[in-house]
Amino acid sequence: MNRNPMALLAIGIAGIFFAGLVGIMFWVSADSARARTGPFDAKFSLVDDRGASVDQTLFKGRPSIVYFGYTHCPEVCPTTLFEVSGWLNKLGPEGEKLKAYFFTIDPARDMPDVMHAYVTSITDRITGITGTPEEMQKVTDGWMIHAARTYGDDSDYHMSHTTSLLLIGPDGRLKGMIPYGEDDELALKKIRDTLL
């Protein structure tokens, strides 16, 4: 029985194409599965500044403004938290359901009592969050936050870190960001447009 060489070639090409297509489908499926457990969905076990346990469900049910910083920060962190306090005051009753969290990136120094004294010196509307370095790492990795020790001329260390605020919706998903130094009115507009 004679076979047409062109027909055999066409069948071979179709087979290779089909195998490639199946491979791509498996790769996309596996990649999608990884994405569901990747960034912005990290599981963690930490404590707030009053010693109560908190986990990733903290971000669900109510909109929140989240900041990652540390209490030894000389300028950016206190400035940002004072701005958050001012925005919460300006929002008044409109912003009552809004939660504000300050996650430390320096858990070695920022124990719950240190966090409590720090945030309450600014406002009672911001909750400090801390925990073990390993659990904090899960959060910073999960939310793609940069945090690293730096050493200057003094014997102490400082932390370089992401300085933007995260705007997280009641579904626990990132809705937007407010960069450091944002104009007050523009920041309030972003909060209203994305969270309220």
Side-chain angles (χ1 to χ4, degrees):
M1 179 175 165
N2 284 338
R3 294 188 182 249
N4 182 337
M6 292 306 288
L8 289 174
L9 181 62
I11 291 170
I13 290 173
I16 291 170
F17 176 76
F18 181 73
L21 187 62
V22 170
I24 289 170
M25 288 171 62
F26 275 115
W27 180 79
V28 168
S29 175
D31 191 54
S32 296
R34 281 194 301 272
R36 283 193 291 274
T37 58
F40 313 124
D41 195 23
K43 292 180 171 55
F44 58 83
S45 179
L46 298 168
V47 293
D48 68 18
D49 60 278
R50 296 178 188 275
S53 298
V54 296
D55 61 21
Q56 63 282 353
T57 60
L58 190 71
F59 298 127
K60 297 186 178 170
R62 300 177 73 177
S64 53
I65 300 176
V66 179
Y67 186 68
F68 289 81
Y70 66 116
T71 62
H72 283 65
C73 181
E75 182 179 345
V76 176
C77 296
T79 300
T80 300
L81 295 182
F82 274 113
E83 287 176 337
V84 170
S85 175
W87 299 335
L88 292 170
N89 286 336
K90 286 182 180 177
L91 288 169
E94 180 187 5
E96 277 181 1
K97 63 182 178 180
L98 194 58
K99 302 292 286 183
Y101 299 109
F102 174 53
F103 279 72
T104 184
I105 54 166
D106 186 17
R109 294 187 294 198
D110 291 343
M111 300 299 176
D113 58 330
V114 174
M115 293 290 282
H116 185 70
Y118 189 78
V119 295
T120 55
S121 71
I122 297 170
T123 177
D124 61 354
R125 292 286 311 275
I126 299 174
T127 301
I129 307 290
T130 187
T132 66
E134 294 77 17
E135 290 298 309
M136 286 306 309
Q137 187 72 46
K138 290 180 185 177
V139 185
T140 54
D141 287 348
W143 288 90
M144 301 178 76
I145 299 297
H146 164 73
R149 282 190 185 188
T150 60
Y151 296 89
D153 295 335
D154 54 7
S155 59
D156 212 355
Y157 66 85
H158 302 278
M159 302 293 293
S160 65
H161 61 96
T162 300
T163 57
S164 293
L165 288 147
L166 309 183
L167 302 177
I168 300 176
D171 59 355
R173 292 179 175 274
L174 182 68
K175 303 298 182 187
M177 300 177 81
I178 298 176
Y180 175 66
E182 183 71 279
D183 173 78
D184 253 17
E185 290 309 312
L186 191 52
L188 284 166
K189 183 176 187 315
K190 283 184 179 180
I191 294 169
R192 287 188 174 103
D193 289 350
T194 57
L195 297 181
L196 302 179

